[in-house]
Amino acid sequence: MIFLIGFDEKEVEIIKKTLKEYGVYEIPQYCRDWILQEIVEKAPKLEGDCNWHARKFFLMHNLEDTRVKEVLEKIKSLNLGRIIFATTTPTSLTWRLEDLMGEWIKEDEYFQELRRRKASRFYLDVDIGKS
């Protein structure tokens, strides 16, 4: 199962077409205070679109590692902008969606900062090497 937050109607359509064999569901805004397990259980009955958050979240549930890799490659090839990717865990299934989103944003910002530092260190090393 795939869950989406923050994608517009056209992007959702493209993702659903690309990943039709996985079951793609939009998480509407009224689910913010729900426990993630409840969202997973009620996925086919959820109504409303997922385009309510400024960030894009792509949540994978119950996929084997090889499938996760395949899905990530497909989605990244669509060039849909910055996306926060996550997979469910036994612990995350017990959390409120709003709290999880906050954690995913913090993790994303942490890894973005690591990438920036690594890139700036690389450029610094290259400049030093030239002198």
Side-chain angles (χ1 to χ4, degrees), residues 28-43:
Q29 187 170 10
Y30 65 83
C31 296
R32 290 173 89 136
D33 291 325
W34 292 16
I35 301 297
L36 188 55
Q37 180 66 44
E38 186 177 6
I39 294 169
V40 169
E41 290 169 0
K42 295 180 178 179

Side-chain angles (χ1 to χ4, degrees), residues 9-58:
E9 188 177 327
K10 186 176 181 181
E11 292 169 326
V12 170
E13 185 179 318
I14 292 168
I15 293 168
K16 284 184 175 183
K17 188 184 294 184
T18 303
L19 301 175
K20 57 183 167 243
E21 70 272 20
Y22 291 96
V24 178
Y25 301 94
E26 296 180 69
I27 300 179
Q29 187 170 10
Y30 65 83
C31 296
R32 290 173 89 136
D33 291 325
W34 292 16
I35 301 297
L36 188 55
Q37 180 66 44
E38 186 177 6
I39 294 169
V40 169
E41 290 169 0
K42 295 180 178 179
K45 297 177 184 174
L46 298 177
E47 295 181 10
D49 66 56
C50 68
N51 195 12
W52 53 271
H53 200 281
R55 305 237 186 157
K56 295 177 184 176
F57 297 90
F58 186 96

Side-chain angles (χ1 to χ4, degrees), residues 69-123:
K69 185 177 178 182
E70 176 184 306
V71 166
L72 289 175
E73 287 173 1
K74 286 181 178 183
I75 293 303
K76 288 179 179 181
S77 74
L78 297 175
N79 297 316
L80 299 172
R82 286 205 7 92
I83 301 171
I84 297 174
F85 294 96
T87 57
T88 59
T89 65
T91 301
S92 70
L93 289 169
T94 67
W95 283 41
R96 268 183 352 117
L97 178 63
E98 185 75 25
D99 297 335
L100 275 171
M101 290 169 56
E103 287 299 309
W104 294 332
I105 290 169
K106 285 180 196 172
E107 288 176 8
D108 182 63
E109 289 170 351
Y110 171 77
F111 286 115
Q112 285 296 107
E113 181 60 25
L114 282 181
R115 284 186 206 105
R116 278 192 289 276
R117 287 182 186 178
K118 186 176 180 180
S120 66
R121 195 168 26 247
F122 170 77
Y123 291 118

